[in-house]
Amino acid sequence: MFESLPESKPDAILALMERFRGDTRAHKVDLGVGIYKDANGNTPVLAAVKQAEKLLLESQDTKAYVGPIGSRPFCDAMINQVFGANAKTDRIRAAQSTGGTGALRILADLIKSTRPDAAIWVSDPTWPNHVPILNAAGIEMKHYPYYDAQKCEVSFDAMMSALKSATDGDIVLLHGCCHNPTGADLLLDQWQQVADLCESKSLFPFFDMAYQGFGDGLDEDAASIRLFADKLPELVVAASCSKNLGLYRERTGAALLLAADTAQADRALGQLSVVIRSNYSMPPDHGANTTNLVMTTDSLNKQWREELEGMRSRMVRQRSAFAEAMRKRTNSDKFDYIAHQKGMFSRLPLSTSQIESLRDVNGIYLVGDGRINVAGLPEENMDALADAIASVL
Ligand SMILES: Cc1ncc(COP(=O)(O)O)c(C=O)c1O
């Protein structure tokens, strides 16, 4: 059975993490990891989450199945978070998913089943896992240019002209906020132009929302999706609770959809439920139940928002401190873009040999495309880091 299977390619980021773990240098710095780190390099369970877990432990009286679309209160809380407290929800439906990844996959399966010939347009670059997930769903993939690596900003004109060449009815995958890996987000006016294009060409927006609350704030980060929802008849969103609630391993997220009318919304959710049934039958409960408690218990909700704001504002400070340190070393504003970008990632304009040199000589680990996790920037050692980066430029 297995003799003809090829070796699987090691995941570049996991391999880097492995190498980092084996590095015995005390001053080593991990900028490659894809999760939030606090000032001590830890990813602790949020206090609001811990509290909700205690409540859950005391109150839960059954482990009976939750059903394919999961917890209704959790789904309602996610609709509220993504579309806003005042959103008209009659055309919106949601299903609990196994993290943002699970949502991406079930939504991709749903789309393939209803529009089998459509291609999906994905930003270049994008989160590397988008490619295997969408390939596994059998959707043809095309790329739109997204990032100008020289100018370190969105190449909006190139993006728009690529999307103008899309076939009517194609799908467009958009990072709702905090673009991974570049940290370069569209401005509201640019979102408006993309929404206009989607409307005129009947392009179907597929949002990946993995970092809501890490950019400018929970509501601010959802402005893109809400703008589209006001204008367009249909869209889907793959939302993750991994980062903003720190629930990574609990695999918690939601697949949300906006349909043209309530009957279509119900049918779409019904078909999504069929997709789920044939994949993993039903989602795990713990993370979603915990999230629901956090979002719907006033005191926990307040505590969570404060903790989320703490993570967000720390990343903003880290960005500014790094940009400032690089400004001093380069006597230029070349790295100022880091301070203006959003979320957990940005890219440094470094070559492969510069990245290797930082790793081998200085014990600074970053992904091969120059992506850094700004949460991992060493608060106390920013000067030493900036010196090392300046030395390879
Ligand atoms: C852009 C993007 N989408 C989706 C995900 C998936 O998140 P989850 O861990 O919830 O599956 C990630 C995780 O890193 C991500 O960066």
Side-chain angles (χ1 to χ4, degrees), residues 46 48-56 71 73-79 81 96-97 99 218 239-248 250-254 284-298 300-302 304:
L46 299 188
V49 166
K50 265 268 183 242
Q51 198 55 36
E53 286 181 310
K54 274 191 200 141
L55 290 176
L56 191 57
S71 150
F74 166 79
C75 289
D76 287 345
M78 290 301 287
I79 289 174
Q81 179 180 295
Q96 197 178 310
S97 64
L218 274 173
S240 168
C241 303
S242 299
K243 311 288 166 20
N244 56 11
L245 280 119
L247 282 172
Y248 308 92
E250 298 297 351
R251 313 309 302 132
T252 311
D285 173 69
H286 182 80
N289 219 329
T290 304
T291 300
N292 179 46
L293 278 172
V294 168
M295 289 183 178
T296 57
T297 312
D298 284 348
L300 295 185
N301 190 282
K302 182 166 174 287
W304 166 57

Side-chain angles (χ1 to χ4, degrees), residues 76-151:
D76 287 345
M78 290 301 287
I79 289 174
N80 195 306
Q81 179 180 295
V82 171
F83 290 94
N86 299 321
K88 233 173 133 264
T89 54
D90 56 322
R91 291 159 44 221
I92 301 175
R93 301 289 180 274
Q96 197 178 310
S97 64
T98 50
T101 304
L104 285 164
R105 179 60 199 272
I106 57 177
L107 287 169
D109 282 348
L110 180 71
I111 287 168
K112 180 68 184 176
S113 73
T114 179
R115 214 175 265 182
D117 298 328
I120 187 158
W121 291 76
V122 176
S123 68
D124 176 19
T126 194
W127 181 49
N129 229 14
H130 280 147
V131 177
I133 294 168
L134 296 167
N135 277 341
I139 305 182
E140 183 195 355
M141 192 178 302
K142 294 184 176 174
H143 296 274
Y144 58 86
Y146 184 76
Y147 189 65
D148 184 327
Q150 298 298 317
K151 295 186 183 154

Side-chain angles (χ1 to χ4, degrees), residues 190-382:
Q190 294 172 324
W191 280 119
Q192 184 69 57
Q193 292 180 55
V194 178
D196 290 344
L197 186 63
C198 286
E199 185 178 41
S200 67
K201 287 183 67 70
S202 301
L203 300 177
F204 185 90
F206 186 155
F207 279 96
D208 182 349
M209 191 59 149
Y211 298 91
Q212 190 176 354
F214 269 28
D216 291 321
L218 274 173
D219 285 319
E220 292 83 349
D221 290 351
S224 53
I225 293 175
R226 295 177 192 176
L227 182 154
F228 273 61
D230 281 346
K231 186 173 179 65
L232 297 166
E234 302 178 313
L235 57 83
V236 292
V237 182
S240 168
C241 303
S242 299
K243 311 288 166 20
N244 56 11
L245 280 119
L247 282 172
Y248 308 92
R249 68 172 63 166
E250 298 297 351
R251 313 309 302 132
T252 311
L256 305 117
L257 63 92
L258 170 73
D261 58 42
T262 55
Q264 288 185 37
D266 288 334
R267 280 212 302 281
L269 186 65
Q271 288 305 324
L272 195 59
S273 159
V274 171
V275 169
I276 292 167
R277 204 88 173 100
S278 62
N279 269 288
Y280 49 86
S281 188
M282 294 174 201
D285 173 69
H286 182 80
N289 219 329
T290 304
T291 300
N292 179 46
L293 278 172
V294 168
M295 289 183 178
T296 57
T297 312
D298 284 348
S299 58
L300 295 185
N301 190 282
K302 182 166 174 287
Q303 189 175 16
W304 166 57
R305 282 169 182 266
E306 283 167 9
E307 291 185 278
L308 177 57
E309 178 55 21
M311 292 192 277
R312 190 193 75 79
S313 55
R314 181 171 163 270
M315 289 186 284
V316 171
R317 285 197 305 277
Q318 297 272 88
R319 286 181 173 281
S320 294
F322 178 71
E324 176 66 28
M326 291 309 295
R327 199 175 306 134
K328 283 190 191 134
R329 269 131 200 112
T330 60
N331 249 329
S332 78
D333 58 5
K334 194 167 177 241
F335 287 85
D336 277 15
Y337 70 94
I338 301 278
H340 308 132
Q341 291 182 337
K342 310 284 177 196
M344 209 157 74
F345 303 113
S346 277
R347 265 184 167 183
L348 297 184
L350 299 175
S351 66
T352 307
S353 62
Q354 288 169 323
I355 290 168
E356 282 170 3
S357 166
L358 281 174
R359 189 188 60 215
D360 298 341
V361 178
N362 306 96
I364 296 167
Y365 287 72
L366 47 147
V367 185
D369 63 357
R371 189 190 81 167
I372 57 164
N373 180 340
V374 298
L377 290 168
E379 262 172 64
E380 305 296 330
N381 264 332
M382 203 66 94

